[in-house]
Amino acid sequence: MTGKGKTPAKCSSSGRKQTEQKSAKRTDSHTPTQTKSTTWTPATAQGKTCGRGGRAKSPVQKVTSNPPAGSGKGARSKGQSPIRPAGGAERPRAKSPPPPSKPHIQRGSSKDDDLSRGLQKTLGQLTIRRDARSKAAKIKNEVVEKIKTHLERSRNFKDIETLPTGSYFENLKISNPDEFDVMFTTCVERVDVQPFGSDGAYYSVKFKRHPQKHVLDDFLTKDDVLCASSMMKQFRSEVKTAIKDIQIEGNLKMEPRKPKCPAVTLTLTVDKKEISIDIVLGIEVKGTWPLCAKDGMNIEKWLSKKVKRELKYKPYYLVPKHEGSANKEEDGVLAKDVWRISFSHVEKYIMKNHGKEKTCCEEKGPKCCRKQCLKLLKHLLSELKAKHETELSKFCSYHAKTTLLHACTERTEDSEWKLSDLHDCFQLLLQDFVACLRQRQLPNFFIPTHNLLGSVSAESCKKLADYIEHQRNNRFPIFQK
């Protein structure tokens, strides 16, 4: 610096260096400490985007996004929130290995476009041909109708009704129309339904003010408890008798009973192709849903409070299924005689009316990719199960469907599920599913206290999460075989 009021005629060399250093410091102070990455972040982070839509959240947890550890100025700052489950109670962070490194793929890049085209191609391969669908449905309807006619002449199932359920009737079936689910139901009135166990999914059924004569008398204990095991045994016997008299093209047979399975499985081989029909026995219960369903089906912001209220006026169903030892006893009732709650009819309604806007996916309305994402996830799970049969035997397509239902309650706008954003939306759904697997927590959509992964080992959950991450990081090679 020169004296006051004097202007230097020329700056020295050292003066220029000091000026340049100060200028560099000022420039550095305005440089961002961290550059946003365009790679897919884990589902435990907020701020995810679906295509050009808004923010997305995991259905199981809400977390403040943290930069990776050891990233200098971008390291974790003070005051950030720990992981919290949906109920709000703080839970320790699960110890899991860091996710594998992923290639840096910019949105809108040629690699991204190639992957989008690959997913569309996979969906095309999963589409069922209309003629194959029609032929298989006709055969199924014939078999079901003849079994129903036989049951109506029986002693215990005179009032039987049929309730179509499952992926075929929700337009979610993939590859081949080779599996059908049909529930054969009978209505029970004036019953006392009591929870069995603590998760809210299983119940004992006891008749109140029982009439002297009832078609289900043969299945009641001395305490008027309706025994699921004895009713299922008789139902299976009646179906076996019915199929002996069915004259139909192909070889129709009943599969051996599977432990804890509530279905009677029939297989029919026609033109060297096998069709499977799962016939599930169910009892229809009219009245208020169980108390543990009060906090479930959170569709208010998605499908509206009105729709939720209307759905809750519908009956619910109970199917003969238990978990754990068959001889476990609680309040004089054995586990083998309890029933598992089912809302399959409500699921079917939701999947058919899945848009926040009523015109979503209608003929002239905007198209979303909710169902396409679920089909891809179901296909991925099916392929992984075929490749790792022993390790992943406990997983089923219902885990995928429940993940989607939770995701729809978090990403409620149709604009967040644009068909043009299929790639992004599928990636987010995978992140949701992997987050559930890492925590080993996937709440039943209707009964939040029931963890659908509770009967699956932590090791199996970790294995599946790792397999899915491997597929994501390597552009789904399992789809390209």
Side-chain angles (χ1 to χ4, degrees), residues 186-453:
T186 182
C187 184
V188 293
E189 297 180 359
R190 298 190 298 274
V191 291
D192 180 21
V193 178
Q194 292 295 327
F196 185 95
S198 58
D199 61 10
Y202 301 91
Y203 295 85
S204 63
V205 179
K206 183 177 181 180
F207 276 59
K208 297 188 297 186
R209 301 188 299 277
H210 179 55
Q212 291 184 349
K213 291 184 179 180
H214 194 280
V215 292
L216 301 180
D217 275 352
D218 291 347
F219 313 123
L220 299 179
T221 67
K222 60 181 180 179
D223 297 324
D224 293 331
V225 173
L226 186 60
C227 295
S229 59
S230 58
M231 189 169 172
M232 182 63 190
K233 182 178 180 181
Q234 183 61 30
F235 179 74
R236 185 178 180 85
S237 177
E238 293 288 355
V239 173
K240 186 175 182 179
T241 302
I243 65 174
K244 290 179 181 178
D245 299 328
I246 295 178
Q247 301 298 322
I248 195 169
E249 178 188 359
N251 180 29
L252 179 63
K253 64 179 181 179
M254 179 186 292
E255 294 297 310
R257 178 179 175 274
K258 298 177 183 177
K260 301 180 183 179
C261 179
V264 178
T265 302
L266 306 179
T267 56
L268 177 65
T269 305
V270 181
D271 298 333
K272 297 182 180 180
K273 294 183 179 180
E274 188 175 87
I275 297 174
S276 174
I277 306 173
D278 278 349
I279 299 176
V280 179
L281 172 65
I283 56 176
E284 178 184 336
V285 183
K286 295 181 178 179
T288 306
W289 289 9
L291 186 61
C292 55
K294 179 181 178 182
D295 297 326
M297 196 174 66
N298 296 316
I299 60 174
E300 295 91 336
K301 295 181 180 180
W302 170 26
L303 301 180
S304 79
K305 294 180 180 179
K306 179 183 177 182
V307 170
K308 180 174 182 176
R309 185 167 57 250
E310 291 173 349
L311 291 176
K312 284 216 162 188
Y313 278 120
K314 291 181 178 291
Y316 62 93
Y317 294 86
L318 296 169
V319 298
K321 181 175 175 61
H322 69 276
E323 286 290 342
S325 172
N327 294 319
K328 176 185 175 182
E329 185 175 339
E330 188 174 304
D331 296 329
V333 180
L334 296 176
K336 65 180 181 180
D337 290 328
V338 301
W339 306 76
R340 188 185 67 183
I341 198 165
S342 170
F343 295 99
S344 57
H345 59 308
V346 178
E347 291 169 11
K348 182 169 70 172
Y349 174 89
I350 291 175
M351 295 310 302
K352 284 189 171 184
N353 303 274
H354 56 263
K356 185 167 187 176
E357 300 297 330
K358 302 306 178 186
T359 57
C360 181
C361 291
E362 289 187 354
E363 185 177 354
K364 296 183 179 180
K367 303 296 187 291
C368 80
C369 66
R370 291 177 177 95
K371 287 188 176 183
Q372 285 82 352
C373 286
L374 179 53
K375 286 180 179 180
L376 287 171
L377 180 52
K378 287 174 62 176
H379 181 52
L380 176 60
L381 182 57
S382 175
E383 292 295 305
L384 289 174
K385 284 184 66 176
K387 191 174 181 180
H388 308 280
E389 187 174 355
T390 303
E391 295 171 305
L392 307 182
S393 61
K394 287 279 189 177
F395 296 100
C396 63
S397 61
Y398 193 69
H399 292 128
K401 181 196 244 183
T402 301
T403 303
L404 176 74
L405 289 172
H406 283 301
C408 288
T409 64
E410 293 293 329
R411 302 188 280 279
T412 60
E413 301 297 327
D414 296 339
S415 60
E416 295 176 284
W417 297 91
K418 289 181 181 178
L419 186 58
S420 58
D421 294 335
L422 171 66
H423 165 257
D424 298 341
C425 295
F426 180 52
Q427 292 279 11
L428 284 179
L429 188 63
L430 288 180
Q431 288 181 23
D432 291 339
F433 191 36
V434 168
C436 293
L437 292 169
R438 296 290 186 203
Q439 296 183 53
R440 198 179 162 221
Q441 283 287 333
L442 179 58
N444 185 308
F445 188 66
F446 301 92
I447 311 289
T449 52
H450 179 213
N451 178 17
L452 295 178
L453 297 178

Side-chain angles (χ1 to χ4, degrees), residues 157-203:
F157 303 101
K158 295 178 181 179
D159 303 324
I160 207 79
E161 296 291 341
T162 57
L163 179 69
T165 60
S167 59
Y168 177 85
F169 301 99
E170 297 167 350
N171 195 27
L172 290 169
K173 191 72 185 72
I174 58 177
S175 301
N176 295 300
D178 54 3
E179 293 181 356
F180 297 91
D181 299 297
V182 180
M183 188 182 292
F184 279 65
T185 68
T186 182
C187 184
V188 293
E189 297 180 359
R190 298 190 298 274
V191 291
D192 180 21
V193 178
Q194 292 295 327
F196 185 95
S198 58
D199 61 10
Y202 301 91
Y203 295 85

Side-chain angles (χ1 to χ4, degrees), residues 99-103 468-476:
S101 59
K102 295 185 275 287
I468 291 175
E469 291 286 12
H470 172 78
Q471 291 296 320
R472 291 179 61 212
N473 298 336
N474 292 277
R475 308 174 63 77
F476 304 100

